[in-house]
Amino acid sequence: KVIYGQDNRLDLFRVLNPDHLEFAKSTAAMISNSKLTEFNAHEYVIDSMTLEQTGVCDFERFANQPVAASCSGFLVAKDVLVTAGHCIRSQSDCEASSWVFDYKVDFENQSEVIVDKENVYSCKSIISRELNTETQNDYAVIKLTKEVQGRLPLKINKKSPPKKGDSLMVIGHPSGLPTKVADGASVRSVKDVYLIANLDTYGGNSGSAVFNMDT
């Protein structure tokens, strides 16, 4: 399934929890450099189709919003970002896309997004990466060309492993859409290197940060 029960995805302008908004500031969209067009000296306009133009019915949620992100990622240090291993497979992949913070909409049917150039960062190199069907590891740790300003690296919980029933939230870019926060989920089971959950995620959420709602 893609949506479990209620569709919990929210645009940032509908998110009321200040902590969730702060977490969202540390997440980014992977967007092809070819989609970034200079709007003026300080901004880029992101070239994209709407979700409806990709073939989704016009009555579906977010149908009029733009689709530009191919994957999601999140900060773990000032100039280090984590995403999925299948999102970046080579140095050429690293260099072909930018990481855009604040890729978001300010109202429901916004069909175009303009972002500040200062929120767009390039990938310098791959620090570590694995995409292994045997181990199920699927991650990439990348170094950005400069430190990210005004955003805090997310803290990774290494002390208490996830367990069945833990409440979860995910922040990312389902279907390539502007940032969505989706809570109301939980851990269904825990495997060796991954967990199974009922998060409302789509393609484009690859690399999204998943948060324990209690901690």
Side-chain angles (χ1 to χ4, degrees):
K1 291 182 178 180
V2 177
I3 294 296
Y4 293 81
Q6 179 181 346
D7 186 347
N8 295 106
R9 295 174 297 161
L10 291 177
D11 284 304
L12 291 185
F13 68 88
R14 296 194 182 279
V15 174
L16 301 179
N17 188 309
D19 288 336
H20 298 178
L21 291 172
E22 192 66 24
F23 297 154
K25 286 177 61 177
S26 301
T27 67
M30 181 180 176
I31 296 178
S32 172
N33 294 332
S34 64
K35 294 182 178 180
L36 299 174
T37 299
E38 191 165 294
F39 186 67
N40 55 45
H42 306 288
E43 297 173 309
Y44 289 118
V45 61
I46 299 178
D47 299 325
S48 58
M49 297 188 294
T50 65
L51 188 60
E52 182 184 356
Q53 288 171 328
T54 69
V56 172
C57 295
D58 61 1
F59 55 79
E60 293 289 348
R61 297 187 71 201
F62 317 120
N64 292 320
Q65 291 186 9
V67 173
S70 54
C71 283
S72 305
F74 57 96
L75 277 182
V76 293
K78 277 293 187 180
D79 60 350
V80 178
L81 185 142
V82 170
T83 186
H86 66 266
C87 293
I88 293 183
R89 298 172 182 263
S90 64
Q91 182 63 24
S92 60
D93 286 346
C94 165
E95 296 172 0
S97 294
S98 293
W99 290 93
V100 180
F101 293 86
D102 288 347
Y103 174 51
K104 61 182 181 178
V105 293
D106 298 313
F107 55 91
E108 186 73 35
N109 293 320
Q110 184 176 333
S111 59
E112 184 179 71
V113 173
I114 295 172
V115 296
D116 291 339
K117 288 184 177 180
E118 64 183 16
N119 294 332
V120 178
Y121 293 79
S122 299
C123 174
K124 180 179 181 180
S125 61
I126 300 172
I127 298 171
S128 178
R129 176 188 174 273
E130 187 173 357
L131 179 60
N132 189 313
T133 56
E134 289 188 13
T135 64
Q136 300 295 313
N137 279 328
D138 182 3
Y139 66 86
V141 184
I142 65 171
K143 188 173 184 65
L144 302 175
T145 53
K146 59 183 178 180
E147 291 189 353
V148 175
Q149 302 300 315
R151 302 168 196 278
L152 297 175
L154 296 177
K155 296 178 180 179
I156 297 177
N157 184 356
K158 298 179 180 179
K159 295 181 179 180
S160 53
K163 61 184 184 299
K164 184 177 180 180
D166 282 353
S167 296
L168 299 179
M169 172 181 72
V170 63
I171 301 177
H173 300 276
S175 304
L177 290 162
T179 307
K180 302 288 181 283
V181 176
D183 59 9
S186 63
V187 177
R188 298 175 67 185
S189 62
V190 179
K191 307 298 182 182
D192 288 340
V193 296
Y194 66 93
L195 58 84
I196 296 175
N198 56 356
L199 292 157
D200 295 335
T201 55
Y202 291 70
N205 273 116
S206 293
S208 293
V210 177
F211 300 84
N212 183 307
M213 292 285 287
D214 298 319
T215 64

